[in-house]
Structure formats: structure tokens, C-alpha cells
mmCIF file of all heavy atoms in Angstrom:
data_model
loop_
_atom_site.group_PDB
_atom_site.id
_atom_site.type_symbol
_atom_site.label_atom_id
_atom_site.label_comp_id
_atom_site.label_asym_id
_atom_site.label_seq_id
_atom_site.Cartn_x
_atom_site.Cartn_y
_atom_site.Cartn_z
ATOM 1 N N THR B 1 113.898 125.894 -1.183
ATOM 2 C CA THR B 1 113.684 124.685 -0.426
ATOM 3 C C THR B 1 112.517 124.857 0.514
ATOM 4 O O THR B 1 112.097 125.964 0.808
ATOM 5 C CB THR B 1 114.941 124.313 0.385
ATOM 6 O OG1 THR B 1 115.194 125.369 1.313
ATOM 7 C CG2 THR B 1 116.140 124.125 -0.517
ATOM 8 N N ALA B 2 111.986 123.719 1.027
ATOM 9 C CA ALA B 2 110.762 123.800 1.811
ATOM 10 C C ALA B 2 110.997 123.778 3.301
ATOM 11 O O ALA B 2 110.074 123.639 4.067
ATOM 12 C CB ALA B 2 109.848 122.631 1.431
ATOM 13 N N SER B 3 112.230 123.897 3.746
ATOM 14 C CA SER B 3 112.502 124.004 5.172
ATOM 15 C C SER B 3 112.422 125.457 5.597
ATOM 16 O O SER B 3 112.844 126.335 4.866
ATOM 17 C CB SER B 3 113.893 123.457 5.475
ATOM 18 O OG SER B 3 114.290 123.844 6.758
ATOM 19 N N PRO B 4 111.873 125.761 6.798
ATOM 20 C CA PRO B 4 111.775 127.160 7.205
ATOM 21 C C PRO B 4 113.092 127.765 7.630
ATOM 22 O O PRO B 4 113.137 128.904 8.022
ATOM 23 C CB PRO B 4 110.800 127.100 8.389
ATOM 24 C CG PRO B 4 110.952 125.738 8.918
ATOM 25 C CD PRO B 4 111.269 124.856 7.753
ATOM 26 N N SER B 5 114.193 127.033 7.560
ATOM 27 C CA SER B 5 115.458 127.587 8.040
ATOM 28 C C SER B 5 116.592 127.300 7.066
ATOM 29 O O SER B 5 117.568 126.661 7.396
ATOM 30 C CB SER B 5 115.795 127.012 9.416
ATOM 31 O OG SER B 5 115.790 125.609 9.374
ATOM 32 N N ALA B 6 116.462 127.747 5.837
ATOM 33 C CA ALA B 6 117.517 127.549 4.861
ATOM 34 C C ALA B 6 118.738 128.363 5.242
ATOM 35 O O ALA B 6 118.640 129.426 5.822
ATOM 36 C CB ALA B 6 117.025 127.964 3.472
ATOM 37 N N ALA B 7 119.910 127.857 4.863
ATOM 38 C CA ALA B 7 121.132 128.536 5.267
ATOM 39 C C ALA B 7 121.422 129.768 4.422
ATOM 40 O O ALA B 7 122.035 130.712 4.890
ATOM 41 C CB ALA B 7 122.312 127.563 5.165
ATOM 42 N N SER B 8 121.031 129.773 3.160
ATOM 43 C CA SER B 8 121.369 130.882 2.268
ATOM 44 C C SER B 8 120.132 131.406 1.561
ATOM 45 O O SER B 8 119.870 131.064 0.414
ATOM 46 C CB SER B 8 122.408 130.419 1.234
ATOM 47 O OG SER B 8 123.565 129.949 1.874
ATOM 48 N N PRO B 9 119.327 132.249 2.222
ATOM 49 C CA PRO B 9 118.086 132.710 1.616
ATOM 50 C C PRO B 9 118.239 133.964 0.775
ATOM 51 O O PRO B 9 117.259 134.576 0.396
ATOM 52 C CB PRO B 9 117.221 133.004 2.843
ATOM 53 C CG PRO B 9 118.202 133.485 3.845
ATOM 54 C CD PRO B 9 119.463 132.705 3.590
ATOM 55 N N SER B 10 119.470 134.382 0.480
ATOM 56 C CA SER B 10 119.647 135.709 -0.096
ATOM 57 C C SER B 10 119.420 135.765 -1.595
ATOM 58 O O SER B 10 119.046 136.802 -2.124
ATOM 59 C CB SER B 10 121.048 136.229 0.230
ATOM 60 O OG SER B 10 122.026 135.353 -0.277
ATOM 61 N N ARG B 11 119.633 134.672 -2.337
ATOM 62 C CA ARG B 11 119.483 134.729 -3.777
ATOM 63 C C ARG B 11 118.783 133.466 -4.231
ATOM 64 O O ARG B 11 119.331 132.385 -4.161
ATOM 65 C CB ARG B 11 120.838 134.848 -4.475
ATOM 66 C CG ARG B 11 121.653 136.048 -4.034
ATOM 67 C CD ARG B 11 122.971 136.094 -4.770
ATOM 68 N NE ARG B 11 122.788 136.320 -6.202
ATOM 69 C CZ ARG B 11 122.676 137.534 -6.740
ATOM 70 N NH1 ARG B 11 122.719 138.596 -5.978
ATOM 71 N NH2 ARG B 11 122.531 137.691 -8.035
ATOM 72 N N ALA B 12 117.545 133.597 -4.744
ATOM 73 C CA ALA B 12 116.809 132.427 -5.192
ATOM 74 C C ALA B 12 115.556 132.865 -5.906
ATOM 75 O O ALA B 12 115.298 134.041 -6.086
ATOM 76 C CB ALA B 12 116.459 131.526 -4.003
ATOM 77 N N ALA B 13 114.755 131.872 -6.321
ATOM 78 C CA ALA B 13 113.485 132.162 -6.971
ATOM 79 C C ALA B 13 112.371 132.100 -5.946
ATOM 80 O O ALA B 13 112.457 131.373 -4.962
ATOM 81 C CB ALA B 13 113.233 131.151 -8.090
ATOM 82 N N VAL B 14 111.323 132.863 -6.174
ATOM 83 C CA VAL B 14 110.196 132.873 -5.242
ATOM 84 C C VAL B 14 108.919 132.586 -5.995
ATOM 85 O O VAL B 14 108.834 132.811 -7.197
ATOM 86 C CB VAL B 14 110.060 134.242 -4.539
ATOM 87 C CG1 VAL B 14 111.303 134.556 -3.744
ATOM 88 C CG2 VAL B 14 109.783 135.344 -5.547
ATOM 89 N N PRO B 15 107.890 132.073 -5.308
ATOM 90 C CA PRO B 15 106.615 131.840 -5.976
ATOM 91 C C PRO B 15 106.000 133.148 -6.425
ATOM 92 O O PRO B 15 106.084 134.153 -5.721
ATOM 93 C CB PRO B 15 105.751 131.192 -4.882
ATOM 94 C CG PRO B 15 106.692 130.796 -3.818
ATOM 95 C CD PRO B 15 107.886 131.685 -3.916
ATOM 96 N N PRO B 16 105.393 133.185 -7.617
ATOM 97 C CA PRO B 16 104.677 134.389 -8.021
ATOM 98 C C PRO B 16 103.410 134.545 -7.212
ATOM 99 O O PRO B 16 102.959 133.604 -6.560
ATOM 100 C CB PRO B 16 104.359 134.132 -9.494
ATOM 101 C CG PRO B 16 104.235 132.644 -9.572
ATOM 102 C CD PRO B 16 105.261 132.103 -8.585
ATOM 103 N N ILE B 17 102.833 135.725 -7.253
ATOM 104 C CA ILE B 17 101.595 135.982 -6.533
ATOM 105 C C ILE B 17 100.412 135.780 -7.462
ATOM 106 O O ILE B 17 100.376 136.307 -8.571
ATOM 107 C CB ILE B 17 101.590 137.409 -5.971
ATOM 108 C CG1 ILE B 17 102.668 137.527 -4.902
ATOM 109 C CG2 ILE B 17 100.244 137.790 -5.398
ATOM 110 C CD1 ILE B 17 102.921 138.923 -4.462
ATOM 111 N N VAL B 18 99.459 134.997 -7.051
ATOM 112 C CA VAL B 18 98.248 134.773 -7.823
ATOM 113 C C VAL B 18 97.131 135.576 -7.176
ATOM 114 O O VAL B 18 96.772 135.353 -6.019
ATOM 115 C CB VAL B 18 97.868 133.280 -7.861
ATOM 116 C CG1 VAL B 18 96.577 133.083 -8.619
ATOM 117 C CG2 VAL B 18 98.991 132.476 -8.497
ATOM 118 N N VAL B 19 96.591 136.533 -7.912
ATOM 119 C CA VAL B 19 95.511 137.368 -7.403
ATOM 120 C C VAL B 19 94.197 136.866 -8.001
ATOM 121 O O VAL B 19 94.000 136.908 -9.206
ATOM 122 C CB VAL B 19 95.730 138.848 -7.767
ATOM 123 C CG1 VAL B 19 94.596 139.697 -7.220
ATOM 124 C CG2 VAL B 19 97.060 139.335 -7.228
ATOM 125 N N ASN B 20 93.323 136.363 -7.169
ATOM 126 C CA ASN B 20 92.060 135.828 -7.642
ATOM 127 C C ASN B 20 91.095 136.947 -8.027
ATOM 128 O O ASN B 20 91.123 138.033 -7.458
ATOM 129 C CB ASN B 20 91.409 134.958 -6.555
ATOM 130 C CG ASN B 20 92.243 133.737 -6.244
ATOM 131 O OD1 ASN B 20 92.731 133.077 -7.154
ATOM 132 N ND2 ASN B 20 92.430 133.445 -4.959
ATOM 133 N N ALA B 21 90.239 136.654 -9.000
ATOM 134 C CA ALA B 21 89.229 137.636 -9.407
ATOM 135 C C ALA B 21 88.307 137.966 -8.245
ATOM 136 O O ALA B 21 87.846 139.095 -8.094
ATOM 137 C CB ALA B 21 88.434 137.110 -10.591
ATOM 138 N N VAL B 22 88.018 136.970 -7.413
ATOM 139 C CA VAL B 22 87.208 137.171 -6.217
ATOM 140 C C VAL B 22 88.073 136.834 -5.020
ATOM 141 O O VAL B 22 88.559 135.713 -4.898
ATOM 142 C CB VAL B 22 85.943 136.287 -6.230
ATOM 143 C CG1 VAL B 22 85.165 136.481 -4.944
ATOM 144 C CG2 VAL B 22 85.087 136.594 -7.447
ATOM 145 N N ASP B 23 88.280 137.803 -4.153
ATOM 146 C CA ASP B 23 89.126 137.562 -2.990
ATOM 147 C C ASP B 23 88.501 136.513 -2.078
ATOM 148 O O ASP B 23 87.288 136.517 -1.857
ATOM 149 C CB ASP B 23 89.322 138.859 -2.200
ATOM 150 C CG ASP B 23 90.302 139.795 -2.872
ATOM 151 O OD1 ASP B 23 91.099 139.323 -3.705
ATOM 152 O OD2 ASP B 23 90.276 140.999 -2.568
ATOM 153 N N PRO B 24 89.316 135.613 -1.528
ATOM 154 C CA PRO B 24 88.780 134.630 -0.580
ATOM 155 C C PRO B 24 88.344 135.307 0.701
ATOM 156 O O PRO B 24 88.775 136.419 1.017
ATOM 157 C CB PRO B 24 89.966 133.701 -0.344
ATOM 158 C CG PRO B 24 91.168 134.560 -0.610
ATOM 159 C CD PRO B 24 90.763 135.488 -1.716
ATOM 160 N N GLN B 25 87.463 134.630 1.439
ATOM 161 C CA GLN B 25 87.032 135.178 2.721
ATOM 162 C C GLN B 25 88.204 135.130 3.690
ATOM 163 O O GLN B 25 88.826 134.093 3.881
ATOM 164 C CB GLN B 25 85.854 134.390 3.272
ATOM 165 C CG GLN B 25 85.199 135.053 4.474
ATOM 166 C CD GLN B 25 83.859 134.411 4.809
ATOM 167 O OE1 GLN B 25 83.543 133.334 4.324
ATOM 168 N NE2 GLN B 25 83.074 135.075 5.642
ATOM 169 N N PRO B 26 88.535 136.257 4.310
ATOM 170 C CA PRO B 26 89.745 136.297 5.138
ATOM 171 C C PRO B 26 89.510 135.721 6.529
ATOM 172 O O PRO B 26 88.392 135.753 7.052
ATOM 173 C CB PRO B 26 90.044 137.792 5.231
ATOM 174 C CG PRO B 26 88.699 138.446 5.143
ATOM 175 C CD PRO B 26 87.907 137.589 4.184
ATOM 176 N N PRO B 27 90.555 135.212 7.167
ATOM 177 C CA PRO B 27 90.463 134.884 8.589
ATOM 178 C C PRO B 27 90.167 136.148 9.387
ATOM 179 O O PRO B 27 90.585 137.247 9.016
ATOM 180 C CB PRO B 27 91.857 134.340 8.923
ATOM 181 C CG PRO B 27 92.466 133.974 7.611
ATOM 182 C CD PRO B 27 91.891 134.914 6.610
ATOM 183 N N SER B 28 89.439 135.989 10.477
ATOM 184 C CA SER B 28 89.059 137.161 11.274
ATOM 185 C C SER B 28 89.461 137.063 12.736
ATOM 186 O O SER B 28 89.472 138.075 13.433
ATOM 187 C CB SER B 28 87.543 137.390 11.192
ATOM 188 O OG SER B 28 86.844 136.255 11.693
ATOM 189 N N LEU B 29 89.797 135.861 13.219
ATOM 190 C CA LEU B 29 90.090 135.707 14.640
ATOM 191 C C LEU B 29 91.091 134.581 14.843
ATOM 192 O O LEU B 29 90.960 133.503 14.256
ATOM 193 C CB LEU B 29 88.805 135.397 15.416
ATOM 194 C CG LEU B 29 88.925 135.283 16.935
ATOM 195 C CD1 LEU B 29 89.274 136.634 17.563
ATOM 196 C CD2 LEU B 29 87.611 134.749 17.538
ATOM 197 N N LEU B 30 92.097 134.838 15.693
ATOM 198 C CA LEU B 30 93.082 133.833 16.088
ATOM 199 C C LEU B 30 92.937 133.580 17.576
ATOM 200 O O LEU B 30 92.950 134.522 18.381
ATOM 201 C CB LEU B 30 94.497 134.334 15.780
ATOM 202 C CG LEU B 30 95.664 133.496 16.330
ATOM 203 C CD1 LEU B 30 95.708 132.127 15.667
ATOM 204 C CD2 LEU B 30 96.998 134.234 16.125
#
């Protein structure tokens, strides 16, 4: 689910990781 506070996060499916051929430019400052 898309809420940040699900009641039962222990067993579910997760998004796979997509690794780009060229890494995006990373954030550098907050």
C-alpha cells in the first residue's frame, strides 16, 4: 500500500530495483 504507516508490513511484495546503465547525478546537499 502507498501509506507510510501500514499496519502489517511484515509479509508482502516489494518493488524490484532498477539499476540504470548510467547512474543519475546524485543529490549533494540538503
Side-chain angles (χ1 to χ4, degrees):
T1 62
S3 166
S5 54
S8 301
S10 59
R11 303 180 65 86
V14 299
I17 294 170
V18 178
V19 180
N20 296 316
V22 177
D23 284 340
Q25 190 168 14
S28 60
L29 183 67
L30 171 66

